[in-house]
Amino acid sequence: MTTRIDRRFAALKAEGRAALVTFTMAGDPDYDTALAIAKALPKAGADVIELGMPFTDPMADGPAIQAAGLRALAAGQNMIKTLKLVREFRVSDNDTPIVLMGYYNPIYIYGVEKFLTDAIAAGVDGLIVVDLPPEEDEELCLPALKAGLNFIRLATPTTDDKRLPAVLNNTSGFVYYVSITGITGAAAPDATKVSAAVDRIKRHTKLPVAVGFGVRSAEQARAIAENADGVVVGSAIVDVLRGSLDKSGKAGSGTVKAVTDLVSALAEGVKSARRVPAK
Amino acid sequence: MTVQQPNSFRTGPDERGHFGIYGGRFVAETLMPNILQLEAAYTAAKADPGFQKEMDHHLTHFVGRPSPLYFAERLTTKLGGAKIYFKREDLNHTGAHKVNNVTGQIMLAMRMGKKRIIAETGAGMHGVATATLCAKFGLDCIVYMGAVDVERQQPNVLRMKMLGAEVRAVTSGSHTLKDAMNEALRDWVTNVSDTFYCIGTVAGPHPYPAMVRDFQCIIGKETREQMQAAEGRLPDSLVACIGGGSNAMGLFHPFLDDRSVEIYGVEAAGHGIPSGKHAASVAGGRPGVLHGNRTYLLMDADGQITEAHSISAGLDYPGIGPEHSWLNDMGRVKFLSATDDEAVAAFQLCSQLEGIIPALEPAHALARVFDLAPKLPKDHLMVVNMSGRGDKDLASVEAYLASKKK
């Protein structure tokens, strides 16, 4: 069974370039603006859309994404509205993969079975749940795979060769390599080290490998896109969004454009990468 | 609903860290290798008689154990029922039970070669204990403390600084203990190779709930021996306050299979459970996943964690240790709660009747003793865990009483 994620990465491979994966928070700064941003992302150059499910206690996120989650919650975002946002996005775009990213508790409280059913019905393709390591696969990973969703696992610099097979087992869609030991939006990754890590993961899997955490500029995106199959940018986009808000924290007239301008630049960076021939 | 009770309540957790449906290892992948390494190191240390011997040495000569089991005679007379004993954890060096656990974890950190210690703290007692052991052993110490708690527990902030620790005031989220724990986890994810996270309570990802419990069980083990020596038998009931629940678990665990012993945990009811402004995870919460474990949590209908409210910074946490959640569901521990008003009244009465200024945390346990004890016969032996001393709370209580007069 192929998913939108499989098809998108296969198409980009044929094109000979990496994917730009963007992260924005569902409901940030409000539902309508977040939907308008999501709809504008593919045209701006996003190949895969990651949508954050806001949570009060995002323990692996830095200040930018923490604040984005709190803005969304303050504007009344919840899981029902996040799934509705995906459904409304799907009305006009049936190709761009959507991955929901967040923490387990809001899913657990929504109910795992109901969440999977509703997510698939809305048009979600994959899940990234930060606080569900392979040790907790029975909670959501296995039911999600069974239901036909991709479950995308994070591999990190601390995931050694001994542990990597356990992390890759039951992973589908793509592998998300966390380029630094740290929280989102913190240190800048070292492109040489990242490239070596991508090679290491590829020795263990045929899945595409996307790299994220700390990628902020078109130049960094280009460097990583030389070897990785995807580049994930989150905090930088969220920061640009925040910068476009008015004094009361409401969306300004330039909010959507501020986001799409950055995404266009990032997409240019990814497209200009000189791909290293596959080893 | 009748619950099928196990043959023993003392065999958990299973190899994956579960107490029934509770516990587990809900952490980011970056931390998993560290957590597995910690589990292996702790398992090895437990099996090493040298580790226990060294622990015992420090607990005797540095912490000052055993702590007395003290007959609270005037309180017993005033309440006119059960014979009340205090387990005097407030007399430990640093002034609370927290040091028992910290001694164990710091010795483990040194065995693992970790030289940078991080901790979260609410009331500051765990932070002070961690800063103290780090000073003694020459380790770097960083303590995360909610900005609200930094404000209301100034004496402990000054103690930590004097001991050479760096106190980082946390201004994310609600600025209290849960946010301090988030920041400590973020630090750990960032500095994973050289850093040991010294968690202060029986919560977090496996193996923390079991490991912290094991280090705190000295409280209950001593209580058994001391009660045998004083009265020639086991106590009839145990009462302890519960935030995360480490002092309670330390007292309760060695007695869990003695079915004649009634066990009461007292949560913080803040302004009262119906007000919604409380920190009673069992009474006012439901099972969810936060900070590495599944347990009873305070949250809204969408699974967003809500703020806890308590006059006691040490109980101001929207969760509880996973083993407590399981013991609640099994019916082995009865969960009660006490409001801010009741805790402050108990704080004053204990100070004036017994010459012991309790911390606001055990004052919650005392508040329920006030209604449990009078209904019980005079030969009923009740142990209250006096988990810490109240010097740190004098300003808070003073301010609270002044605000009530207005």
Side-chain angles (χ1 to χ4, degrees), chain A residues 134 154-168 177 181 200-201, chain B residues 29-33:
Chain A
L154 304 172
T156 72
T158 61
T159 314
D160 60 17
D161 280 332
K162 199 170 139 231
R163 184 169 167 78
L164 200 47
V167 169
L168 296 172
Y177 180 66
T181 55
R200 180 168 74 90
I201 294 168
Chain B
E29 170 61 22
T30 310
L31 293 180
M32 262 324 290

Side-chain angles (χ1 to χ4, degrees), chain A residues 54-59 61 66 78-79 105 108-109 130-131 133 135-136 139 154 156 158-159 163 167 181-182, chain B residues 16 24-30 32-33 172 178 182 185-186 189-190 192 287-289 294 299 301-305:
Chain A
F55 183 48
T56 41
D57 294 81
M59 63 181 178
D61 282 305
Q66 288 174 39
N78 57 28
M79 191 64 86
N105 198 53
Y108 178 68
I109 295 305
V130 179
D131 53 353
E135 281 73 7
E136 303 291 349
E139 295 284 337
L154 304 172
T156 72
T158 61
T159 314
R163 184 169 167 78
V167 169
T181 55
Chain B
R16 291 163 65 210
R25 284 179 286 215
F26 296 89
V27 295
E29 170 61 22
T30 310
M32 262 324 290
S172 60
K178 88 174 167 81
N182 286 332
L185 284 163
R186 288 174 188 133
V189 168
T190 308
V192 73
V289 174
R294 181 176 4 243
M299 60 180 126
D302 196 43
Q304 305 297 338
I305 307 304

Side-chain angles (χ1 to χ4, degrees), chain B residues 191-268:
Chain B
N191 302 291
V192 73
S193 62
D194 66 342
T195 298
F196 186 99
Y197 182 14
C198 183
I199 294 186
T201 191
V202 287
H206 177 65
Y208 282 99
M211 178 173 73
V212 176
R213 172 198 73 197
D214 293 348
F215 290 142
Q216 290 293 0
C217 272
I218 184 96
I219 301 172
K221 286 178 195 158
E222 283 178 9
T223 300
R224 279 184 89 91
E225 288 172 18
Q226 290 167 324
M227 190 59 97
Q228 283 289 354
E231 300 276 356
R233 65 183 182 90
L234 292 180
D236 297 300
S237 61
L238 309 172
V239 189
C241 65
I242 298 194
S246 69
N247 90 85
M249 191 57 74
L251 176 65
F252 298 169
H253 198 264
F255 292 98
L256 288 176
D257 286 338
D258 299 291
R259 308 288 169 119
S260 66
V261 181
E262 291 172 47
I263 305 180
Y264 299 96
V266 183
E267 296 188 294

Side-chain angles (χ1 to χ4, degrees), chain A residues 199-267:
Chain A
D199 288 340
R200 180 168 74 90
I201 294 168
K202 289 192 168 230
R203 285 196 291 274
H204 291 264
T205 182
K206 289 193 168 65
L207 289 172
V209 179
V211 174
F213 278 45
V215 184
R216 303 194 69 86
S217 67
E219 179 50 33
Q220 286 174 318
R222 185 196 57 74
I224 285 172
E226 287 182 357
N227 194 23
D229 303 306
V231 181
V232 190
V233 183
S235 297
I237 297 174
V238 166
D239 274 342
V240 156
L241 184 152
R242 190 200 59 206
S244 75
L245 302 178
D246 68 20
K247 277 182 194 153
S248 60
K250 297 264 187 327
S253 55
T255 294
V256 176
K257 186 168 184 299
V259 170
T260 52
D261 283 354
L262 175 61
V263 171
S264 298
L266 292 165

Side-chain angles (χ1 to χ4, degrees), chain B residues 316-394:
Chain B
D316 205 349
Y317 179 72
I320 184 172
E323 194 168 11
H324 283 297
S325 293
W326 179 71
L327 290 168
N328 171 71
D329 288 6
M330 290 292 117
R332 181 63 189 100
V333 175
K334 291 187 186 69
F335 281 80
L336 310 170
S337 63
T339 63
D340 290 350
D341 283 346
E342 292 172 318
V344 169
F347 183 95
Q348 293 172 287
L349 192 64
C350 180
S351 300
Q352 287 153 24
L353 273 180
E354 292 293 346
I356 295 168
I357 301 177
L360 273 172
E361 291 79 20
H364 285 73
L366 284 170
R368 285 290 70 80
V369 168
F370 290 177
D371 19 88
L372 289 169
K375 295 174 198 146
L376 295 164
K378 288 189 165 36
D379 62 352
H380 181 105
L381 303 177
M382 177 177 276
V383 177
V384 187
N385 201 2
M386 185 57 64
S387 57
R389 68 180 188 217
D391 313 38
K392 68 183 174 64
D393 295 315
L394 290 171

Side-chain angles (χ1 to χ4, degrees), chain A residues 131-201:
Chain A
D131 53 353
L132 286 178
E135 281 73 7
E136 303 291 349
D137 268 357
E138 288 158 25
E139 295 284 337
L140 179 66
C141 172
L142 298 180
L145 292 174
K146 200 170 158 221
L149 283 177
N150 286 135
F151 197 86
I152 295 133
R153 193 100 66 193
L154 304 172
T156 72
T158 61
T159 314
D160 60 17
D161 280 332
K162 199 170 139 231
R163 184 169 167 78
L164 200 47
V167 169
L168 296 172
N169 188 28
N170 295 328
T171 300
S172 68
F174 61 95
V175 180
Y176 188 142
Y177 180 66
V178 176
S179 62
I180 51 162
T181 55
I183 51 179
T184 53
D190 175 333
T192 315
K193 278 188 191 166
V194 168
S195 182
V198 169
D199 288 340
R200 180 168 74 90
I201 294 168

Side-chain angles (χ1 to χ4, degrees), chain B residues 51-121:
Chain B
F51 182 77
Q52 191 55 52
K53 204 175 154 202
E54 213 181 327
M55 280 267 308
D56 290 344
H57 174 83
H58 295 306
L59 289 174
T60 304
H61 298 284
F62 190 65
V63 175
R65 301 205 71 92
S67 69
L69 183 69
Y70 161 83
F71 173 41
E73 196 169 358
R74 291 189 70 210
L75 184 65
T76 298
T77 306
K78 170 147 179 99
L79 296 178
K83 193 169 180 184
I84 298 161
Y85 282 86
F86 291 168
K87 180 60 175 165
R88 297 292 308 276
E89 292 298 301
D90 59 317
L91 292 178
N92 293 338
H93 179 42
T94 73
H97 71 290
K98 294 289 188 188
V99 72
N100 304 327
N101 163 48
V102 172
T103 302
Q105 287 199 49
I106 294 300
M107 287 181 48
L108 194 58
M110 288 193 295
R111 277 172 80 105
M112 295 172 74
K114 307 270 184 178
K115 301 214 171 352
R116 181 177 180 271
I117 309 296
I118 57 170
E120 84 295 335
T121 198

